[in-house]
Amino acid sequence: MRPAFGSPLSARKSCDLVPSPSSAYVSDPTPWRGALRAARSWLHSDAPSLSLNGPWSFRLSQTASAAEDFAAEGFDDSGWATMPVPSHWVLQDDGAHGRPIYTNVQFPFPIDPPHVPDENPTGDYRRHFDMPADWSEADRVVLRFDGVESLFRLWVNGDEIGSASGSRLAHEFDVTSSVRPGDNVIAVRVHQWSAASYLEDQDQWWLPGIFRDVTVIARPAGGIEDVWLRTGFDHGHGRIEPEVTADAAAFPVTLRLPELGIERVWATAADVAPLDVDGVEPWSAERPRLYDATVSTAAESIAVRVGFRTVEIRGDQFLVNGSRVVFHGMNRHEAHPERGRVFDEEHAREDLARMKRFNVNAIRTSHYPPHPRLLDLADELGFWVILECDLETHGFDKIDWVGNPSDDPTWRAAYLDRIQRTVERDKNHPSVVIWSLGNEAGTGGNLAAMSAWVHARDAGRPVHYEGDHAGEYTDIYSRMYSSVLETEQIGTDGSRSPLLNCTPAQGARQRTKPFLLCEYAHAMGNGPGALDQYEALVHEHPRLHGGFVWEWRDHGILTTTPDGTPYYAYGGDFGEVVHDGNFVMDGMLLSNDVPTPSLHEYKAVAQPVRFTFDGDELAITNLRHSADTSDLRFRWRVEYDGTLADSGDLEVPVVAAGASARVPLPRFPVSMDSETWLTVDAVLAAGTAWARDGHVIATAQLDRSTRRPAPAVRPRTDWRQSEGTLTLGIAEFVDGSLVRLAGRAVAGPRLELFRAPTDNDEGASEEVAESDAGIAGVSNAELWRRDGLDRLTARRVSVERTAEALRTIDKVSAANSAVSVTVESIWSIEGDQLELRVEIEPSRGWLTVWPRIGIRFDLPDGAAPVDGAEWFGLGPLESYPDSLRAARTGRFSSTVRDLSVDYARPQETGHRSQLRQLALTSAGTEVLRLVAFPDIRGRRPGFTLSRHTPQQIAQAGHPFELPDSTTSHLIVDAAQHGLGSRSCGPDVWPEFALRPESRTIRLRIAAG
């Protein structure tokens, strides 16, 4: 049992308040002063409390040295603005109080620790509250702040109470001696910059203000100061190790778990002891079984939800309740386009429910403790949580970590205060299975001291910190953005491949630990690729425990252009002096909560049920941690060329976690004149807190088609020169160039090798594919622009024709370039159909990968603009060579607008792979139909349909910067370059890199 907290007087003596200029506060690494109480759990108590959320009077000064007269009781604040609490002042009143700043690594102030500039936006807050008369009987009155960025000072009724820093941490002040029944006035001064800002350089917006709840609490005499119900589980047997912090006068204390028939009364503190509980169900992320408990005295009752689970590391395995955990996780910031980091429970619940629907089972709270209610939701819905301390000093990387606080004893108290407040606040949550010291703060003695404190305080959870590359003080080996090959070597027994920043001996030690990718698969813009390759490693090497995608959502801030057009802003859009651009838009969820295709890809890769087709049988493997398949049912359907032919349910026995079962496939006829596809889904048999019944959690397809060769190419030898003005079926040509198709204006086909670079294409990391096609530190997009792929020009070499065919040959190149591509286009009448065959052949001398190999048709709007597409191929969402797992073969339709994704920075989007048939539509009516044939190696083309060309898209920094369009653009691609993760991580895997090569595109085109 921990000792009781000291009195308010002793708290003040531990850090006496003395008059001091504001500059002394803001530049002092000391984490707190005055009557700050010791950290404790965030508890659900029936003790009286008042929320102070709501409107406060507010004044903003541009320096930290504004007069402090505002703290006086009688100060007249009638001329001040009104500021809601919780909120960030830079997100209120349309910029009247300053603007947000986004940086990833950079400090937005001079690196001069612990000092910050005198130009330091400082917000003064005031409000009144009425304290009930009966609160005068309370043992003490406490004022709680759950989150203030970055340093704040507190006065009550003119008395200075104290100060605190640690923006995402909870702080409780004893204000007993300063409050009175009836009217009371609170004054709070918040400094945007302080010494603490050097410890809070997380990749996110800098958003000052009181942004979490403020509460005044009456602590009763004989109440409970803190409770920790540690639990364990072993084969149906539970264990509770209680820790109760209370004065002797609070006893007896009673623990009740009604559902388990437990009522234990502890007459004195010495009686508080562990108890064993039989017949309990375990808590896990898959089956988050919680039991309601209360811990009560005569004066106070505290409600706790208990989940029984045991966390351990056994050898190089991370286990919960004896079973290995695989983290299919997301790094989750608190971010909302209008509220910033202000918590909204309804939105947060839906956020977590959406994670569950996309097969996410774990959260790393990057890089600070979230609002405490979020962890209640994680307990309830079921997530493995790595709870991270509010710590990052990444900006010191610019000066080679000179002066980094992580190894400076001056900052040790601040480091220890941060980890203590993190652990103490959230120690009761069964979802929290790992403590993390922070992120990207280098290494040093202060981090080691944090780890030592956690190990002493909580032996039941391991300690994580990625920056401890050598494994000196952490229990888990963790890395960011290691390549597939490097990750495989980490997991391979006996491998002596060197590990980052490790000696051979340190590397050998790290290989004895569980391994986590605390960040991987940078989800910035269109991408990432290769998710399935990382997933495969987890199942091959038990030491590898999965990882956490960077990151869950974009951080765009909703704003408007001068003409009122809304858009989601990123770094630089608010005039920041230094910023990191759109690097804050790196989530699998767009800022407006719309899932990106990458999130669907993630869901498919992480699906917890694996289907394997074997002859006339289906093997079903349950990859879950602990849940069997009794909550699922299994459906099948058969489609012919994407049209439903039959469906039903599979009879599948209950499959235990980690086990497999085999069942016969349904019998169905194979069509002789269309493709035959069998699809199997695992769906929820009943609704849950996060999804309705019938929600698909896993799917697979089997191709049972009879192979039908493509029509042979008819050879022609009777070519003769021609001026190229003619009609072939529905196609009209002038000077060898297509001008009309089926009566509508059309231009093309023109060779298109360029795509609007994705954020990964623009990435210039050192992680390049193992080939001569990339340059470390130089982005692929830069190489494409250097080679002129965005500004190709053509020279007509020849025009020839026969009675039923037209052939043109063009040489395509760019200004100031000697390399080129020869394009042969043959239009012909085949029976009653129009065929186009394009042969694309590069010259020698190309040194880089290409973004695509395609042909583009421009379709002006005319009387009937092309505004939609129906296709048979992969869909329904966009897909690329290294991101195909979420795509299925079927028949789909979409508007042109919905074919593209509204990435925060416009870029390549909308490609659909493995096309068979395509119909272009106008107002729902077909205007053109295309049939695409595979090439001689069986490779099928893809297509993109957009209102803008790749060049137009590449010129826009935001969606609103795209020009108005009067044309739809169809690109049929023989091939596309992969996506990779090079915006922050590895380049495209060599198998999916598109090197310059000869390709063929063959289409049949008909009128709608």
Side-chain angles (χ1 to χ4, degrees):
M1 190 179 82
R2 295 168 61 203
F5 288 105
S7 67
L9 181 60
S10 65
R12 284 182 182 269
K13 286 183 176 178
S14 67
C15 192
D16 287 338
L17 287 174
V18 294
S20 176
S22 292
S23 59
Y25 281 91
V26 297
S27 296
D28 186 354
T30 303
W32 58 272
R33 300 184 184 201
L36 186 71
R37 305 174 74 235
R40 65 183 184 124
S41 301
W42 193 82
L43 297 169
H44 297 275
S45 167
D46 65 357
S49 66
L50 290 173
S51 172
L52 299 187
N53 293 352
W56 289 51
S57 297
F58 178 78
R59 175 186 69 184
L60 182 68
S61 303
Q62 294 306 314
T63 71
S65 57
E68 295 173 4
D69 55 346
F70 80 103
E73 286 189 72
F75 181 85
D76 181 8
D77 60 18
S78 60
W80 286 18
T82 299
M83 181 65 58
V85 169
S87 73
H88 305 281
W89 70 63
V90 293
L91 297 184
Q92 298 297 313
D93 300 327
D94 196 25
H97 314 293
R99 289 294 194 178
I101 299 170
Y102 166 63
T103 63
N104 169 28
V105 178
Q106 304 177 83
F107 284 121
F109 44 80
I111 306 174
D112 182 25
H115 306 290
V116 293
D118 293 337
E119 294 83 1
N120 186 353
T122 295
D124 292 332
Y125 294 78
R126 283 173 55 91
R127 73 156 288 165
H128 293 256
F129 79 93
D130 286 326
M131 191 178 88
D134 59 0
W135 280 28
S136 59
E137 301 173 4
D139 180 62
R140 64 189 73 177
V141 177
V142 172
L143 190 55
R144 181 184 181 95
F145 293 82
D146 282 308
V148 183
E149 184 175 328
S150 70
L151 167 72
F152 70 102
R153 298 169 65 187
L154 170 66
W155 292 262
V156 174
N157 294 326
D159 297 338
E160 184 165 6
I161 306 299
S163 66
S165 60
S167 297
R168 272 67 68 172
L169 304 170
H171 298 93
E172 291 184 335
F173 291 90
D174 192 319
V175 297
T176 309
S177 60
S178 298
V179 294
R180 60 193 174 227
D183 182 62
N184 294 264
V185 62
I186 299 173
V188 182
R189 168 159 287 183
V190 180
H191 301 287
Q192 175 159 14
W193 310 123
S194 68
S197 301
Y198 287 100
L199 308 185
E200 296 177 1
D201 190 26
Q202 294 98 334
D203 177 6
Q204 61 178 351
W205 295 95
W206 299 86
L207 299 172
I210 304 174
F211 69 94
R212 286 187 184 158
D213 308 295
V214 181
T215 312
V216 60
I217 306 165
R219 297 294 308 132
I224 299 170
E225 199 59 42
D226 202 1
V227 169
W228 186 6
L229 299 182
R230 308 188 219 200
T231 65
F233 179 82
D234 185 16
H235 297 91
H237 301 285
R239 183 174 177 83
I240 300 175
E241 297 182 10
E243 180 182 283
V244 178
T245 304
D247 292 335
F251 287 86
V253 173
T254 303
L255 169 68
R256 294 183 178 88
L257 280 84
E259 192 174 355
L260 295 174
I262 292 173
E263 181 169 324
R264 187 67 55 91
V265 179
W266 298 307
T268 68
D271 297 327
V272 178
L275 61 152
D276 294 320
V277 187
D278 290 333
V280 303
E281 298 175 45
W283 184 97
S284 73
E286 293 164 357
R287 290 186 172 168
R289 184 67 163 92
L290 294 169
Y291 294 89
D292 291 326
T294 59
V295 180
S296 304
T297 70
E300 182 179 18
S301 182
I302 290 172
V304 182
R305 293 193 299 182
V306 173
F308 291 92
R309 92 286 182 268
T310 294
V311 178
E312 62 179 320
I313 292 177
R314 192 182 302 163
D316 61 358
Q317 305 281 298
F318 177 85
L319 311 176
V320 175
N321 297 334
S323 297
R324 172 176 172 258
V325 173
V326 174
F327 295 93
H328 291 115
M330 293 284 163
N331 282 279
R332 183 186 183 276
H333 270 288
E334 292 187 308
H336 187 274
E338 296 173 88
R339 295 188 300 271
R341 284 188 285 279
V342 175
F343 183 76
D344 177 84
E345 184 163 334
E346 181 179 357
H347 185 262
R349 180 180 288 275
E350 174 55 26
D351 211 36
L352 268 58
R354 185 182 293 110
M355 285 187 176
K356 297 286 285 189
R357 293 195 293 271
F358 281 90
N359 291 333
V360 175
N361 70 2
I363 297 169
R364 177 179 176 229
T365 67
S366 53
H367 299 292
Y368 44 82
H371 189 283
R373 275 293 290 160
L374 186 94
L375 297 172
D376 286 341
L377 299 178
D379 293 341
E380 174 189 325
L381 296 173
F383 289 92
W384 312 116
V385 174
I386 296 182
L387 188 64
E388 198 145 84
C389 184
D390 188 6
L391 175 65
E392 182 167 337
T393 67
H394 205 169
F396 286 92
D397 180 65
K398 180 179 177 64
I399 53 174
D400 295 325
W401 298 99
V402 173
N404 182 24
S406 294
D407 204 33
D408 182 345
T410 305
W411 296 81
R412 181 157 298 181
Y415 275 61
L416 288 173
D417 181 71
R418 285 170 182 261
I419 193 63
Q420 289 164 9
R421 293 188 179 279
T422 297
V423 171
E424 297 295 356
R425 193 196 75 169
D426 297 325
K427 55 186 178 284
N428 277 294
H429 291 283
S431 58
V432 177
V433 293
I434 297 173
W435 300 114
S436 180
L437 303 180
N439 185 69
E440 293 175 322
T443 189
N446 293 338
L447 287 154
M450 294 169 75
S451 179
W453 183 88
V454 176
H455 282 114
R457 181 70 178 115
D458 183 10
R461 297 176 176 104
V463 173
H464 165 276
Y465 175 65
E466 185 270 343
D468 180 27
H469 292 151
E472 299 291 343
Y473 48 84
T474 49
D475 305 305
I476 293 168
Y477 183 33
S478 178
R479 286 285 305 282
M480 297 180 180
Y481 307 107
S482 58
S483 68
V484 172
L485 282 177
E486 187 181 5
T487 304
E488 182 178 31
Q489 289 304 306
I490 291 170
T492 300
D493 289 340
S495 172
R496 296 185 179 181
S497 147
L499 300 183
L500 180 69
N501 295 336
C502 285
T503 66
Q506 291 167 339
R509 175 173 62 192
Q510 291 293 64
R511 283 191 170 93
T512 67
K513 299 177 181 179
F515 177 75
L516 266 181
L517 280 162
C518 68
E519 294 179 21
Y520 82 113
H522 196 251
M524 186 175 180
N526 189 346
L531 288 170
D532 53 348
Q533 293 175 278
Y534 284 100
E535 178 69 14
L537 294 179
V538 167
H539 301 290
E540 294 170 12
H541 304 286
R543 180 181 306 130
L544 307 181
H545 287 74
F548 296 79
V549 168
W550 188 266
E551 62 173 307
W552 171 237
R553 65 162 59 244
D554 284 357
H555 297 219
I557 292 179
L558 185 61
T559 188
T560 60
T561 63
D563 68 0
T565 302
Y567 73 101
Y568 293 98
Y570 51 72
D573 287 339
F574 295 108
E576 300 100 308
V577 176
V578 296
H579 62 85
D580 286 302
N582 71 317
F583 208 70
V584 76
M585 308 298 239
D586 49 10
M588 288 196 159
L589 203 66
L590 299 179
S591 299
N592 60 355
D593 293 342
V594 173
T596 64
S598 69
L599 185 55
H600 290 268
E601 179 77 359
Y602 184 88
K603 175 185 177 181
V605 167
Q607 60 187 34
V609 175
R610 179 192 296 156
F611 298 113
T612 305
F613 296 103
D614 184 8
D616 291 328
E617 288 189 321
L618 174 65
I620 300 172
T621 303
N622 181 2
L623 301 174
R624 291 163 152 183
H625 171 266
S626 49
D628 62 29
T629 60
S630 59
D631 62 330
L632 305 178
R633 60 187 179 92
F634 296 84
R635 305 185 307 201
W636 62 270
R637 65 182 180 276
V638 172
E639 293 168 317
Y640 299 141
D641 276 358
T643 300
L644 181 65
D646 200 1
S647 63
D649 290 337
L650 284 175
E651 293 295 328
V652 178
V654 174
V655 184
S660 297
R662 299 176 73 88
V663 298
L665 290 175
R667 296 185 179 276
F668 54 88
V670 174
S671 174
M672 301 305 294
D673 57 3
S674 59
E675 294 189 35
T676 302
W677 285 86
L678 170 68
T679 303
V680 178
D681 296 324
V683 306
L684 290 178
T688 68
W690 46 270
R692 297 177 179 176
D693 66 293
H695 169 75
V696 177
I697 70 161
T699 190
Q701 280 193 312
L702 173 64
D703 184 1
R704 279 292 178 88
S705 305
T706 300
R707 297 303 167 199
R708 294 170 292 150
V713 174
R714 178 160 40 128
R716 287 183 169 83
T717 59
D718 54 342
W719 296 107
R720 65 182 185 277
Q721 288 188 350
S722 170
E723 85 269 354
T725 299
L726 71 157
T727 298
L728 289 175
I730 63 170
E732 301 174 37
F733 302 88
V734 174
D735 297 331
S737 297
L738 178 69
V739 294
R740 298 184 75 81
L741 263 177
R744 66 177 300 125
V746 176
R750 57 168 290 170
L751 178 70
E752 188 62 85
L753 301 181
F754 185 65
R755 72 184 186 193
T758 67
D759 290 309
N760 290 310
D761 295 335
E762 294 282 9
S765 76
E766 301 296 315
E767 296 282 351
V768 296
E770 294 183 353
S771 70
D772 60 357
I775 300 175
V778 180
S779 74
N780 285 326
E782 183 176 345
L783 298 176
W784 298 339
R785 289 187 286 260
R786 180 201 68 184
D787 289 348
L789 298 187
D790 58 337
R791 49 184 173 83
L792 296 175
T793 61
R795 177 174 64 84
R796 179 65 46 84
V797 175
S798 65
V799 180
E800 298 174 305
R801 67 163 296 179
T802 70
E804 295 183 319
L806 173 71
R807 178 170 70 179
T808 61
I809 297 177
D810 296 294
K811 185 175 182 180
V812 181
S813 189
N816 199 37
S817 175
V819 292
S820 63
V821 180
T822 299
V823 180
E824 179 187 47
S825 302
I826 300 175
W827 294 88
S828 61
I829 298 297
E830 306 295 340
D832 60 352
Q833 295 181 304
L834 176 68
E835 180 169 304
L836 169 64
R837 189 175 83 252
V838 181
E839 302 286 353
I840 300 164
E841 183 177 350
S843 69
R844 294 185 179 183
W846 291 95
L847 300 179
T848 65
V849 295
W850 279 351
R852 72 179 348 133
I853 304 174
I855 54 174
R856 191 179 97 203
F857 297 88
D858 299 329
L859 302 124
D861 286 348
V866 171
D867 57 13
E870 299 173 356
W871 74 98
F872 177 40
L874 290 189
L877 303 175
E878 64 185 26
S879 56
Y880 293 82
D882 53 355
S883 183
L884 288 168
R885 291 287 291 275
R888 60 180 175 84
T889 302
R891 193 168 292 276
F892 309 98
S893 64
S894 174
T895 65
V896 171
R897 176 177 176 79
D898 290 342
L899 284 168
S900 300
V901 178
D902 285 331
Y903 296 113
R905 183 188 69 80
Q907 56 196 273
E908 163 65 28
T909 177
H911 182 260
R912 267 66 177 178
S913 307
Q914 298 183 22
L915 178 66
R916 281 86 157 162
Q917 302 167 16
L918 171 65
L920 303 182
T921 62
S922 179
T925 300
E926 286 189 11
V927 295
L928 283 174
R929 286 184 283 114
L930 291 80
V931 174
F933 296 117
D935 65 13
I936 59 173
R937 292 174 54 184
R939 299 173 296 188
R940 295 184 179 276
F943 83 95
T944 303
L945 183 63
S946 172
R947 293 293 288 176
H948 296 94
T949 67
Q951 292 76 10
Q952 289 172 326
I953 296 170
Q955 291 296 314
H958 301 82
F960 69 81
E961 296 173 17
L962 291 167
D964 293 335
S965 173
T966 59
T967 303
S968 293
H969 305 277
L970 171 66
I971 303 177
V972 178
D973 285 316
Q976 273 255 4
H977 186 57
L979 298 175
S981 188
R982 203 179 172 198
S983 56
C984 187
D987 201 357
V988 174
W989 188 252
E991 178 184 351
F992 305 113
L994 179 58
R995 293 166 181 81
E997 62 184 23
S998 297
R999 286 284 190 148
T1000 300
I1001 296 173
R1002 187 181 175 200
L1003 307 171
R1004 292 276 176 92
I1005 306 173

